[in-house]
Amino acid sequence: MVGVGNTAEVFDYGEGKVCKLFYRGYPKDAVKREFWNASEVQRQGLPVPKVFEMVESKGRTGIVYEKIAGKSMLECILENPEKAVFYLEEFVRLQKNWLKEASVQSASVLSYKEYLRMLLNGAGQKAEASLLEEINALPEGVTLLHGDFHPGNVLISTEYRAVVIDFMNVCRGPELYDIARTYFLLKEKDEAFGSAYLAKMEVSEEEILPFSKVIERCRMYER
């Protein structure tokens, strides 16, 4: 076993591959969505592991990816706090490049507004009408977004190559949604780090406020 997460375990799969094997009972449609998302980001030439196929094993569904030897950027920061600024600059550079290279329409993935509505519906709770109205009022966009871009989802390979992982939240929409989502996640853990991130992205809190308000209200439906 290579790693354990909230939704899956990761196993060596031979020949430079790993299998992300989702827990029994995890919705197969969600696994299919991650597979198609991963295929789309790979097709666009973004810095991600190669994705090969979906597999079944003892009632569990998995996705076979290229094996990337290394550590997450989060682990690197925790192990070397004196290099936090260096890693933040690399993180910002990586996200800026992603957003620049992915600024084309990706019809095969959900729009971010469809994704948020699906999140609310899948929580088994009746979402507040005002929240749905806020989501519907947000602007459209065509950029291919990661949707969960944070240092834990960036691997630094043993060859010092930065690779982005975890494609369950991939969607299309405005760049500011992805930036707002990252800012929210970083600020949850370390407010100063989040503020430094936003400054280096050259974006103000005011610019992302409509997205930030919705992201914060949707957070309870993710847990």
Side-chain angles (χ1 to χ4, degrees):
M1 185 183 296
V2 177
V4 179
N6 292 329
T7 61
E9 297 169 315
V10 181
F11 297 91
D12 270 313
Y13 204 67
E15 300 179 356
K17 298 177 182 178
V18 293
C19 179
K20 181 177 180 180
L21 195 62
F22 292 83
Y23 296 123
R24 188 174 282 103
Y26 192 79
K28 192 167 183 177
D29 284 348
V31 181
K32 287 181 179 178
R33 187 171 68 253
E34 175 166 335
F35 177 77
W36 286 113
N37 289 345
S39 301
E40 180 62 14
V41 294
Q42 177 183 300
R43 186 184 70 80
Q44 293 207 21
L46 295 165
V48 298
K50 294 177 183 175
V51 57
F52 296 103
E53 61 180 328
M54 287 181 60
V55 295
E56 298 285 337
S57 177
K58 298 179 180 179
R60 298 170 65 181
T61 306
I63 302 174
V64 180
Y65 287 105
E66 172 190 8
K67 182 177 182 179
I68 306 294
K71 295 180 178 180
S72 75
M73 185 177 282
L74 178 59
E75 289 176 294
C76 293
I77 293 171
L78 293 175
E79 291 174 7
N80 304 278
E82 73 282 359
K83 294 185 177 180
V85 173
F86 165 77
Y87 284 116
L88 176 59
E89 288 173 349
E90 286 298 295
F91 180 78
V92 166
R93 180 191 60 79
L94 186 63
Q95 189 175 28
K96 282 184 173 181
N97 286 346
W98 175 298
L99 294 173
K100 180 180 177 181
E101 294 171 15
S103 57
V104 296
Q105 188 161 358
S106 299
S108 63
V109 303
L110 294 174
S111 78
Y112 79 109
K113 297 204 288 188
E114 289 173 321
Y115 174 80
L116 291 173
R117 288 191 288 261
M118 181 184 70
L119 185 68
L120 269 52
N121 292 334
Q125 306 174 47
K126 187 176 181 181
E128 300 171 65
S130 62
L131 177 52
L132 290 170
E133 288 173 5
E134 280 191 59
I135 292 171
N136 293 335
L138 290 171
E140 303 291 343
V142 298
T143 300
L144 182 63
L145 310 174
H146 183 270
D148 202 26
F149 203 92
H150 60 76
N153 279 339
V154 176
L155 296 182
I156 307 298
S157 76
T158 51
E159 295 83 22
Y160 300 102
R161 179 169 65 111
V163 179
V164 184
I165 60 170
D166 196 346
F167 311 109
M168 193 62 75
N169 294 28
V170 166
C171 55
R172 68 180 191 275
E175 293 182 13
L176 287 177
Y177 170 77
D178 220 36
I179 296 168
R181 169 76 175 173
T182 296
Y183 175 56
F184 176 82
L185 294 172
L186 295 180
K187 198 169 70 165
E188 261 193 333
K189 302 296 183 183
D190 187 321
E191 190 162 352
F193 195 83
S195 296
Y197 157 79
L198 202 60
K200 287 186 179 295
M201 288 297 290
E202 302 174 282
V203 172
S204 69
E205 287 195 56
E206 186 177 358
E207 288 178 273
I208 61 172
L209 185 59
F211 303 99
S212 298
K213 289 167 62 178
V214 167
I215 289 166
E216 186 170 2
R217 292 185 67 188
C218 287
R219 186 60 163 165
M220 63 176 288
Y221 296 95
E222 294 184 64
R223 302 186 188 282

